Amino acid sequence: ILNVEQSPQSLHVQEGDSTNFTCSFPSSNFYALHWYRWETAKSPEALFVMTLNGDEKKKGRISATLNTKEGYSYLYIKGSQPEDSATYLCAEGDSNYQLIWGAGTKLIIKP
Amino acid sequence: DTGVSQDPRHKITKRGQNVTFRCDPISEHNRLYWYRQTLGQGPEFLTYFQNEAQLEKSRLLSDRFSAERPKGSFSTLEIQRTEQGDSAMYLCASSLDINMLQGQTQYFGPGTRLLVL
């Protein structure tokens, strides 16, 4: 059974500051690591899918890194803006393409 | 809109009633997934389809739950004899079956929020 954990559970960040949070996952039988952003009343939005150790992905001010040997991924947001307020979820994809999810990090950007 | 759609968005029902939710995936996607999410938790996998075949069901999916994808396009999730513990957000996602080594992005609908009174 996979167990994906995210920290912190919630985070308040001043507008303009940069921030990061963590996703940890079992490193055995790794297939893929996904990051999603979920805003209230909207669909979860795919940010990144990463499969290789050392992968780094970037999308605008958001980037992510992957370490499959130690079982963690970091999500970074540079120069936080109010529209970044959302819950950020990570999920590990297993061999059957099922996603095993963390509980998310709720990010609140203070103007 | 060519994204994943779900209907209804909200459903309030009384305990013991049956409810059915519908999901329309992105048209060219052959995989369709159902998840359930309760407050403060990440989504939990329920079941998935490849085309019309239901390939896996979670142990979370009791006998009261049934899912179908009769023509390999839209899917329905039915809950019979609802219980208060069934109150949750039910999410549907779809993906295109590609090389597993490249990962598969699942595209989600907005969910159906169920409240059982």
Side-chain angles (χ1 to χ4, degrees):
Chain A
I1 299 175
L2 299 177
N3 191 23
V4 177
E5 296 182 352
Q6 292 187 246
S7 63
Q9 189 174 22
S10 64
L11 192 55
H12 289 71
V13 174
Q14 196 69 41
E15 181 178 353
D17 287 351
S18 297
T19 188
N20 66 84
F21 25 92
T22 307
C23 172
S24 61
F25 52 88
S27 55
S28 60
N29 297 318
F30 174 83
Y31 287 95
L33 194 285
H34 301 249
W35 280 101
Y36 284 82
R37 175 171 60 200
W38 196 358
E39 296 180 66
T40 303
K42 294 186 178 180
S43 306
E45 175 196 353
L47 292 174
F48 307 113
V49 54
M50 295 181 288
T51 57
L52 299 175
N53 184 45
D55 254 356
E56 292 187 29
K57 295 282 180 81
K58 187 175 181 182
K59 185 177 181 180
R61 294 179 292 99
I62 303 176
S63 60
T65 60
L66 178 67
N67 183 322
T68 60
K69 292 183 179 179
E70 296 183 35
Y72 65 83
S73 174
Y74 292 134
L75 189 80
Y76 300 90
I77 302 178
K78 185 177 178 182
S80 303
Q81 299 298 309
E83 59 266 28
D84 297 329
S85 294
T87 296
Y88 290 82
L89 290 153
C90 70
E92 184 175 0
D94 71 4
S95 58
N96 292 320
Y97 308 105
Q98 296 173 32
L99 295 181
I100 310 300
W101 297 81
T105 292
K106 185 173 182 179
L107 177 65
I108 298 168
I109 306 301
K110 299 179 290 184
Chain B
D1 186 8
T2 57
V4 179
S5 62
Q6 291 186 246
D7 182 69
R9 293 289 303 274
H10 300 88
K11 179 70 178 178
I12 300 174
T13 192
K14 292 183 179 178
R15 189 176 53 185
Q17 298 293 305
N18 299 342
V19 294
T20 300
F21 310 141
R22 176 178 169 127
C23 171
D24 287 88
I26 294 172
S27 58
E28 64 268 27
H29 285 182
N30 55 350
R31 283 184 175 249
L32 186 147
Y33 309 79
W34 284 100
Y35 294 87
R36 179 173 66 189
Q37 193 232 8
T38 53
L39 199 62
Q41 303 294 321
E44 295 173 301
F45 169 80
L46 293 178
T47 188
Y48 86 95
F49 294 83
Q50 172 127 354
N51 300 312
E52 65 276 8
Q54 188 173 17
L55 295 187
E56 188 151 349
K57 291 167 57 173
S58 165
R59 287 172 294 175
L60 294 173
L61 214 63
S62 77
D63 292 344
R64 298 184 297 106
F65 287 70
S66 61
E68 294 182 344
R69 195 184 183 197
K71 298 181 180 178
S73 56
F74 74 91
S75 175
T76 57
L77 178 69
E78 181 183 15
I79 309 174
Q80 296 182 325
R81 305 181 302 282
T82 52
E83 301 173 356
Q84 288 183 325
D86 298 331
S87 296
M89 173 77 83
Y90 290 84
L91 291 163
C92 173
S94 69
S95 70
L96 186 61
D97 191 11
I98 57 173
N99 185 342
M100 186 173 67
L101 293 178
Q102 298 177 25
Q104 283 195 350
T105 295
Q106 294 183 18
Y107 296 87
F108 282 81
T112 295
R113 185 168 293 281
L114 172 67
L115 177 61
V116 181
L117 301 177

